[in-house]
Amino acid sequence: MEKHSKREIPSMLNKILDRDVHLTRSVVKCVEALPLMKKLRKHYKMLEISCHAVPWITSILAFIWILNNKNLYQMQVNLLMALILDIIIIAILKAYIRRRRPAVNDDPFSLGPDKYSFPSGHASRSVLIFYFFKYLWPVSDICLLSILIWIFAVILSRLLMRRHYILDISAGIFLGYIEGMLVSILYLESETCSNLIYWITDEKLDGAEYDI
């Protein structure tokens, strides 16, 4: 049985990747030398979790059930759809490209393609969330500013935790914006979202003994 040959990387791409590694290491070294960053190091893990897909999807599903607010159905369903779309796109790209992370990944949520580095799912997801709340479900400028600060903190933490290279994050930012535009095309109307949630919850109630 023949062994699969290792993929050959074109020389030009190899040079770009080498420069990306060098630039990332230089930036990380400079940032870590700042006294303030040493104090903020303990918050990196919290930032990682705050932008992970699992807590976001779980929270949206929980809020749909707990709040049960028809005025929020459109936002909740479309945001859920956007996050699932992001997961699919990032997983496919990571599985195909298979670029190794700068360091060993100890993220307990890291499974399958997520063990790879390119592109950054945290970068794409955070930018997608910003796009969603700026263009699709507009919120106040103060909220948008808070989201921007959060995005910057998340992206910086990904570098300092050695989860990604600069090229990974740049690609993630670009993909997040493209995903946002795609979601704007697929955006579901309020009535459709309400009917979808009502159908799901109604299916659960129909089988109950107390249903009349």
Side-chain angles (χ1 to χ4, degrees):
M1 186 176 180
E2 295 182 0
K3 294 182 179 179
H4 294 287
S5 59
K6 188 176 180 180
R7 290 191 302 180
E8 293 185 5
I9 302 176
S11 59
M12 181 60 69
L13 178 58
N14 207 18
K15 290 180 180 179
I16 294 175
L17 294 177
D18 288 342
R19 290 182 180 180
D20 181 37
V21 171
H22 178 73
L23 178 61
T24 300
R25 289 175 179 171
S26 299
V27 170
V28 169
K29 186 177 180 180
C30 291
V31 174
E32 285 186 330
L34 300 175
L36 177 63
M37 300 313 299
K38 295 179 180 179
K39 297 180 180 179
L40 297 178
R41 187 175 300 171
K42 60 183 178 180
H43 300 297
Y44 293 167
K45 194 65 181 180
M46 181 182 66
L47 287 168
E48 180 178 52
I49 296 174
S50 74
C51 193
H52 202 283
V54 173
W56 271 90
I57 291 178
T58 303
S59 299
I60 292 173
L61 292 173
F63 284 135
I64 290 176
W65 183 266
I66 296 172
L67 298 178
N68 193 25
N69 188 336
K70 293 182 178 180
N71 296 325
L72 297 177
Y73 285 168
Q74 186 178 25
M75 179 271 289
Q76 292 167 331
V77 171
N78 280 289
L79 182 56
L80 183 62
M81 177 184 68
L83 292 173
I84 293 174
L85 177 67
D86 173 70
I87 292 173
I88 294 172
I89 292 176
I90 294 298
I92 291 174
L93 289 174
K94 282 186 175 183
Y96 177 75
I97 298 172
R98 292 179 293 172
R99 186 185 192 188
R100 295 292 178 180
R101 292 185 184 273
V104 176
N105 186 12
D106 59 355
D107 180 7
F109 293 115
S110 182
L111 299 171
D114 202 41
K115 66 183 178 181
Y116 297 118
S117 178
F118 185 94
S120 169
H122 278 67
S124 67
R125 194 170 303 116
S126 59
V127 171
L128 174 60
I129 291 169
F130 174 79
Y131 187 101
F132 187 93
F133 287 112
K134 180 174 176 59
Y135 299 109
L136 304 181
W137 189 268
V139 295
S140 65
D141 291 339
I142 295 178
C143 290
L144 287 177
L145 179 59
S146 300
I147 295 175
L148 283 174
I149 295 174
W150 171 68
I151 291 174
F152 176 77
V154 167
I155 288 175
L156 184 60
S157 71
R158 302 309 286 167
L159 285 176
L160 299 179
M161 292 179 75
R162 275 74 171 177
R163 294 286 194 257
H164 294 286
Y165 298 103
I166 291 176
L167 187 59
D168 305 334
I169 291 174
S170 300
I173 292 173
F174 175 76
L175 277 173
Y177 195 85
I178 296 299
E179 289 171 351
M181 292 191 292
L182 180 58
V183 171
S184 67
I185 296 174
L186 302 174
Y187 200 76
L188 301 177
E189 296 295 332
S190 178
E191 184 178 354
T192 303
C193 296
S194 297
N195 289 337
L196 179 60
I197 292 179
Y198 178 78
W199 178 77
I200 294 173
T201 55
D202 197 41
E203 283 291 312
K204 293 180 180 180
L205 293 175
D206 283 343
E209 295 178 0
Y210 52 80
D211 184 46
I212 301 176

